[in-house]
Amino acid sequence: FEPKPCEPEMLALFHDKEYLEILKKTSSGEFELAMLKKGIGTDDCPLVPDIYSYCLNVVGATLEGVNLVLDGGFQRAFNPIGGFHHGYRGHAEGFCYINDVGVAIEYLLKLGKRVAFIDIDAHHCNGLEDAFKANDQVLNISLHETGDTLYPKTGYESDYGEGKGQGFSINVPLLGKTDDEVYWEAFYRIVPPAVKAFAPDFVIAEVGADTM
């Protein structure tokens, strides 16, 4: 399936409108100090021509996948350019100008769905977790290299959500060079039982290739 760009208002399901206005200016080649405060113009998130259109395409592809599963009779869909889990509601970070997963989850929540997010990228999903850490309709599970040795220096086992969402964030920080046997053991002891207990309507997985 060839996805189409999403409508601009879909980005606002997750992102602050002030941030989106600055992101639009970035695309046109403008620069102002306010961009740096929003994480744009850094080594991770440099000024990129037409980045706003790129973001609309990424989110459009992720939402296309969601809708194929919701309405099209498919069990799963894969967006090879998706999974920008470091993006915060109000700033860019870690090569992530937007958070397409966050948009998709907000979209599903509006439809009354409970969502399990399983993240096996080597880096912790800091932007995604921060956005939903107080929400008991989102189960967030992340297996990643410990923040002691790897960006973004977050995602410790003591980070398990807050308020209504307490217990709905599960972090499994692993030592660098963790081998297959240990990873397999950690995943299967934690992820399937937690997902079964939560009983989600929809599962989104971030399968970053750097896990390999």
Side-chain angles (χ1 to χ4, degrees):
F1 292 87
E2 183 174 345
K4 298 176 181 178
C6 73
E7 294 298 324
E9 56 266 25
M10 295 303 291
L11 298 183
L13 287 177
F14 181 84
H15 291 286
D16 298 342
K17 290 184 178 180
E18 179 189 2
Y19 171 69
L20 292 175
E21 288 301 319
I22 288 176
L23 188 61
K24 284 183 189 177
K25 290 181 180 179
T26 303
S27 280
S28 64
E30 295 180 51
F31 176 75
E32 53 188 51
L33 288 177
M35 292 176 181
L36 287 174
K37 291 182 179 179
K38 299 296 183 181
I40 299 173
T42 64
D43 289 342
D44 280 1
C45 298
L47 296 169
V48 177
D50 213 23
I51 188 65
Y52 186 73
S53 295
Y54 173 81
C55 291
L56 294 177
N57 280 311
V58 170
V59 174
T62 296
L63 291 175
E64 174 85 358
V66 168
N67 285 321
L68 284 170
V69 175
L70 283 175
D71 306 323
F74 295 91
Q75 287 188 308
R76 61 185 64 86
F78 173 58
N79 174 15
I81 196 60
F84 290 97
H85 58 175
H86 297 310
Y88 280 77
R89 292 191 187 274
H91 71 269
E93 189 172 312
F95 307 102
C96 301
Y97 296 86
I98 43 85
N99 193 320
D100 60 303
V101 181
V103 174
I105 291 175
E106 290 286 9
Y107 174 67
L108 288 163
L109 291 175
K110 283 185 174 293
L111 297 176
K113 306 295 185 183
R114 287 162 60 83
V115 183
F117 177 60
I118 302 169
D119 193 320
I120 60 169
D121 189 279
H123 303 85
H124 176 243
C125 51
N126 53 338
L128 197 288
E129 182 178 296
D130 183 76
F132 297 105
K133 63 185 177 184
N135 194 319
D136 62 0
Q137 298 302 298
V138 179
L139 174 67
N140 176 44
I141 309 175
S142 179
L143 284 79
H144 49 268
E145 183 176 330
T146 173
D148 290 341
T149 53
L150 189 68
Y151 169 87
K153 309 295 184 182
T154 55
Y156 291 95
E157 60 271 25
S158 55
D159 299 323
Y160 47 79
E162 60 184 39
K164 285 197 310 179
Q166 194 169 53
F168 290 85
S169 292
I170 301 173
N171 284 297
V172 187
L174 300 165
L175 296 176
K177 302 187 186 301
T178 290
D179 63 17
D180 293 355
E181 185 176 4
V182 173
Y183 196 99
W184 184 274
E185 182 80 4
F187 185 94
Y188 279 99
R189 280 185 177 269
I190 294 168
V191 179
V195 173
K196 183 178 180 181
F198 181 69
D201 301 303
F202 206 96
V203 176
I204 298 178
E206 152 67 280
V207 290
D210 50 12
T211 306
M212 301 302 292

